[in-house]
Amino acid sequence: MENNSTENNTVLNISNVNVTFGGLHALSEINLQIEEGKTHAIIGPNGAGKSTLLNVCIGKLVPDTGTVTLDGEIMTGKLPHEINHAGMVRVFQTPEIFPEMSILRNMMIPAFAKRDGMFKFNAFTSMADEKEIEAEAIHVLQDFGLVDQMHHHAGSMSRGDKRRLELGMGLIQHPRILLLDEPTAGMARHDTNRTIELLQSIKERGTTKVIIEHDMHVVFSLADRISVLAQGRIIAAGTPDEIRANPKVQEAYLGGAEI
Ligand code: ADP
Ligand code: MG
């Protein structure tokens, strides 16, 4: 569903955000709008401020100035679990997986947390609730190709399967926006390609996403829009084609040869 109004379909609005660490300007005057259903990639060299920006979004870090809103509601100043509850879900944070628990149980945990606001399913969740959540967890595991191994310990999974589980654990929370921190870091090409397919299938569901990623193949396969951060500033923003063609970007980050 395309339209030209950015007013109504902005899910995440980052406005005039500044973050300093001592004398270091980690983020300067960041303005960024993420539209509903879009996949927005944030790229930039090491130290550019990408993780700092995600930390501001999820409430792990309070900016010196500026605000983050989700569907028009100010998140800045709220606690991380409140922001998570509002629908801002970051995946690939640590610790995320409980290795001694089954894959199925791992998948159920964030659904309980979402429903109850905290991890209290052992003591307080009724059997009916538990059955319902289990059914949904199995459904997501099916979608993610993990259902055959769902009774195995999560600790026994391959790195690629773990990433898939983590992604599923994000999705089962029915996020308003999914923030992905380097979803293919450390993966072999085969697993990277499977993850791209998975992220594309999530895209078809219409989930809005912000993705931080070093792998240009991943970025250009998935992103609708790209913002380039360098030294705490957004130096370019546009479609993948615009970014590819932007000499400032090539100079600051892409080095010409990578794409
Ligand atoms: P990126 O994720 O793009 O590699 P970061 O957001 O991690 O960049 O870091 C941006 C800058 O802020 C870097 O110079 C980094 O050293 C600095 N930085 C990040 N976190 C802190 C912190 N907690 N204290 C001091 N400096 C920090
Ligand atoms: Mg980082």
Side-chain angles (χ1 to χ4, degrees), residues 78-147:
K78 287 186 192 275
L79 295 171
H81 77 266
E82 294 170 332
I83 296 176
N84 177 271
H85 211 65
M88 185 115 63
V89 173
R90 179 178 180 175
V91 281
F92 313 132
Q93 260 178 297
T94 48
E96 34 246 312
I97 283 180
F98 297 91
E100 300 302 321
M101 286 188 183
S102 72
I103 292 169
L104 174 60
R105 206 68 187 162
N106 268 277
M107 184 63 92
M108 291 169 71
I109 287 169
F112 283 119
K114 174 78 185 173
R115 175 170 301 197
D116 302 336
M118 58 186 287
F119 291 5
K120 58 181 182 183
F121 63 93
N122 280 330
F124 300 105
T125 304
S126 72
M127 280 302 280
D129 271 0
E130 185 155 346
K131 281 287 158 212
E132 197 182 305
I133 285 173
E134 185 180 273
E136 186 178 10
I138 290 172
H139 188 79
V140 177
L141 288 167
Q142 254 156 2
D143 280 1
F144 281 52
L146 293 170
V147 79

Side-chain angles (χ1 to χ4, degrees), residues 157-217:
M157 306 175 89
S158 72
R159 193 200 294 251
D161 283 346
K162 257 186 208 149
R163 283 286 158 92
R164 270 187 279 286
L165 174 60
E166 286 165 352
L167 210 49
M169 288 167 71
L171 219 53
I172 202 168
Q173 298 175 54
H174 301 285
R176 185 66 181 129
I177 186 161
L178 204 55
L179 309 177
L180 304 165
D181 204 348
E182 301 201 29
T184 68
M187 276 188 185
R189 179 51 68 190
H190 167 78
D191 272 331
T192 296
N193 288 340
R194 279 192 69 185
T195 304
I196 291 173
E197 282 170 26
L198 203 60
L199 290 170
Q200 272 161 344
S201 75
I202 294 173
K203 192 169 170 171
E204 283 157 22
R205 300 176 190 213
T207 309
T208 309
K209 293 194 289 295
V210 174
I211 174 169
I212 288 182
E213 179 59 68
H214 282 296
D215 186 329
M216 287 302 122
H217 174 60

